[in-house]
Amino acid sequence: MSPPVAPAGWSRWLVPPAALSVHLSIGQAYAWSVFKPPLESALGLSGTQSALPFQLAIVMLGLSAAFGGTLVERRGPRWAMTVALICFSSGFLISALGAASEQYWLIVLGYGFVGGIGLGIGYISPVSTLIKWFPDRPGMATGIAIMGFGGGALIASPWSAQMLESFGTDSSGIALAFLVHGLSYAVFMLLGVLLVRVPRGTGQGAAAPGGGGAPAAAERAGAVEGVQVSARSAVRTPQFWCLWVILCMNVTAGIGILEKAAPMITDFFADSSTPVSATAAAGFVALLSAANMAGRIGWSSTSDLIGRKNVYRVYLGVGALMYALIALLGDTSKPLFVGCALVILSFYGGGFATIPAYLKDLFGSHQVGAVHGRLLTAWSTAGVLGPLIVNWIADRQEEAGKHGSALYSLSFFIMIGLLAIGFVANELVRPVHPRHHLPVPGKDADVRQRQQPESA
């Protein structure tokens, strides 16, 4: 299962397509809201219940990334992509069985638990490899790959809606749609397994940036390693936990809209003269996916120019302003509602794509994949917190007789508060204290040589 080492002259630009084949597949998770109304109708579920498979999948994403991060570093990207393929596709097949038999717990088990493991391992599988191939532009490199995760719903949302329209929205139609998803994604993810390569001289976990055909600029960038912190030491630093809070708050705010996007826009304009149809709602989900995808490459590349802290100031500060506009004026204008949601989702995606480069800046590239995996437990927390806030409050407001935008106003103001917490955490980020740095052999030897005459 060892990934082939790139031959001399092999282009590093072939690595992002391998990563994209995996991330575009597992990015289907962001199209879950398309399945929510059919599942609620076919199986008699509430909005909170229909969100459970998605919530569990995000929890398992964070947990599997945290526990599997070190294994990914040790065994390499091909092993990780293979595990992701098996788990993610199997999750859909189990869910198909659950829908066909009307056993909802099988959908939760398949899509949420088994598929969620595939999400986590697949998500981190290319990150460390990409940073080693692109040490000169880490934000752009990880943005290209992680862009695929955000853009997965751009394909999956209309595709899923079309399948449900063709197969039907009863339990058998949903089961067939799940089956097609599982088989199709297995084939597509296999392309990444076959294409991935590691730089020459790196083995599976070592860092030899710029090998295998990377330009000389990348080799020079990789030659200066700078600060290096192990994954075990990183989690003991305040910087790690500040980033944990930043990611958790940013993800909670974005996922709160994304998980309930289709029914949310329908509710907001249900009482207007031009209500939103199911097809238009699916199109809205696709637009959000496009913003999510564009934000991942656009904002992460921008962070290479203006710095990670500055770009997170934009995500968290402007994001709070967008939520305030939706909460106060969103039901008065569809363009305003859609525009603000698109900006929030671009920040959501940008936050994911920028965080590996932020980690590299603070902790170095030595075990950045393992550190990244541990940090994704923030995503697990947000995956429960965001949908729970939006769905639970919406259900309670509906029971109280409210409707339309009133179902969401309170949850949106809560999101503003969470983004403010993330903004403060970002301001607290400082360089890692030298006591956490790994020793640099050559430098330490030079220091000892200089000290010997003084102590003689």
Side-chain angles (χ1 to χ4, degrees), residues 124-308:
I124 63 173
S125 61
V127 170
S128 179
T129 302
L130 282 166
I131 286 178
K132 290 166 187 173
W133 275 112
F134 293 86
D136 51 329
R137 286 180 282 180
M140 181 214 68
T142 54
I144 289 174
I146 294 175
M147 172 184 69
F149 192 90
L154 188 61
I155 299 170
S157 180
W159 183 40
S160 300
Q162 183 59 51
M163 276 195 284
L164 290 171
E165 184 178 337
S166 301
F167 302 152
T169 56
D170 58 359
S171 58
S172 61
I174 296 171
L176 189 53
F178 282 154
L179 177 63
V180 173
H181 276 74
L183 297 178
S184 300
Y185 284 132
V187 174
F188 195 58
M189 293 173 76
L190 184 61
L191 297 176
V193 173
L194 298 176
L195 186 60
V196 71
R197 299 287 189 276
V198 295
R200 298 178 67 193
T202 64
Q204 292 180 11
E219 295 195 14
R220 288 195 299 271
V224 183
E225 295 190 2
V227 171
Q228 301 294 333
V229 181
S230 70
R232 179 176 296 182
S233 296
V235 298
R236 299 172 183 170
T237 65
Q239 288 82 358
F240 176 89
W241 293 105
C242 282
L243 292 185
W244 193 98
V245 171
I246 292 166
L247 183 64
C248 184
M249 298 301 100
N250 194 54
V251 173
T252 300
I255 214 168
I257 287 181
L258 193 58
E259 185 274 336
K260 202 174 174 67
M264 182 182 292
I265 192 171
T266 302
D267 290 335
F268 253 78
F269 299 99
D271 297 330
S272 70
S273 58
T274 55
V276 177
S277 66
T279 302
F284 174 61
V285 175
L287 277 177
L288 292 180
S289 178
N292 188 354
M293 179 174 63
R296 290 172 186 243
I297 182 61
W299 289 116
S300 61
S301 297
T302 301
S303 78
D304 287 335
L305 301 175
I306 69 173
R308 320 305 171 195

Side-chain angles (χ1 to χ4, degrees), residues 4 59 215 254 276 311 327 341 359:
V59 169
V276 177
V311 83
L359 291 170

